[in-house]
């Protein structure tokens, strides 16, 4: 994501925020809409592989600036599609209907682990002297934390609904 700030920081801020939003909201929304598509079974990876794949790809895409040794020829024309593909693979165990779908506790842990790990490259952008871009990326990725909270809330409600409680004793009247 080479969002250089030669002219004005605003376009790079918007680009970083939008990139985070695409990974945290647009991609999972599309996977959710198409969750029964047979394609997901073909691209599905276990969560233990999908999470590090996205974290490392995200760090590479965000931190591969013009002076970085990891900068591929073609720049963001290469990194952006690779990052979106890694995001799809990341979200499939959460919302897809595949053999690698996580249960509710696994989805909670997976999403709550991913949120801070995906913010680390944004902290690197802030440390490199681009605080607005880094904060825009963090804000853009907030839907991931919202998804983690929603999955946790749904799981807690489901557990409460399915738990069989003993009947309450009748109050004794004196």
């Amino acid at each position: 994501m080479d969002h250089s700030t030669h002219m004005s920081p605003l376009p790079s801020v918007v680009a970083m925020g939008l990139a985070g939003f695409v990974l945290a909201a647009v991609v999972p929304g599309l996977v959710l809409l198409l969750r029964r598509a047979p394609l997901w079974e073909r691209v599905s990876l276990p969560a233990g592989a999908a999470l590090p794949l996205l974290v490392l790809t995200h760090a590479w895409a965000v931190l591969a600036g013009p002076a970085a040794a990891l900068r591929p020829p073609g720049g963001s024309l290469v990194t952006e599609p690779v990052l979106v593909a890694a995001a799809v693979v990341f979200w499939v165990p959460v919302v897809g209907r595949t053999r690698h779908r996580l249960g509710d506790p696994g989805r909670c842990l997976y999403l709550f682990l991913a949120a801070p790990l995906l913010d680390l490259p944004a902290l690197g952008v802030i440390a490199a002297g681009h605080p607005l871009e880094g904060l825009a990326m963090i804000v853009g990725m907030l839907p991931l934390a919202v998804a983690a909270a929603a999955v946790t809330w749904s799981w807690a409600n489901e557990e409460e609904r399915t738990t069989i409680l003993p009947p309450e004793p009748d109050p004794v009247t004196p």
Side-chain angles (χ1 to χ4, degrees), residues 73-138:
S76 62
L77 293 176
V78 173
T79 59
E80 296 294 331
V82 171
L83 185 56
V84 169
V88 167
V89 170
F90 168 81
W91 283 103
V92 167
V94 177
V95 296
R97 301 284 185 211
T98 68
R99 67 186 180 278
H100 295 122
R101 180 174 171 83
L102 294 168
D104 288 339
R107 292 187 309 153
C108 291
L109 180 61
Y110 185 73
L111 293 173
F112 276 116
L113 280 174
L117 291 174
L118 291 170
D119 284 342
L120 288 175
L123 294 176
V125 170
I126 291 169
H130 302 285
L132 294 177
E133 289 87 344
L135 289 174
M137 174 65 75
I138 291 170

Side-chain angles (χ1 to χ4, degrees), residues 17 21 33 41-42 49-50 56 60 66 68 81 94 103 110 113 120 125 139 171:
F21 186 76
L33 284 173
E41 194 63 48
R42 290 178 179 245
L56 293 174
W60 168 68
V94 177
Y110 185 73
L113 280 174
L120 288 175
V125 170
V139 169

Side-chain angles (χ1 to χ4, degrees), residues 3-18 132-133 136:
H3 308 294
S4 58
T5 58
H6 293 78
M7 297 295 231
S8 164
L10 188 57
S12 61
V13 170
V14 171
M16 291 291 273
L18 185 59
L132 294 177
E133 289 87 344

Side-chain angles (χ1 to χ4, degrees), residues 19-71:
F21 186 76
V22 165
L23 294 182
V26 175
V27 169
L30 290 174
V31 174
L32 184 62
L33 284 173
L34 303 168
R35 69 180 166 267
R36 298 192 191 282
L39 169 67
W40 303 142
E41 194 63 48
R42 290 178 179 245
V43 300
S44 175
L45 289 177
L51 176 60
L53 175 68
L54 179 62
V55 169
L56 293 174
T57 305
H58 182 249
W60 168 68
V62 171
L63 300 175
L70 298 174
R71 182 113 182 114

Side-chain angles (χ1 to χ4, degrees), residues 138-167:
I138 291 170
V139 169
M141 302 269 305
L142 281 177
L144 179 77
V146 171
V151 166
T152 304
W153 183 261
S154 172
W155 174 39
N157 284 334
E158 180 67 24
E159 286 292 316
E160 183 178 321
R161 192 176 47 135
T162 59
T163 301
I164 300 173
L165 299 175

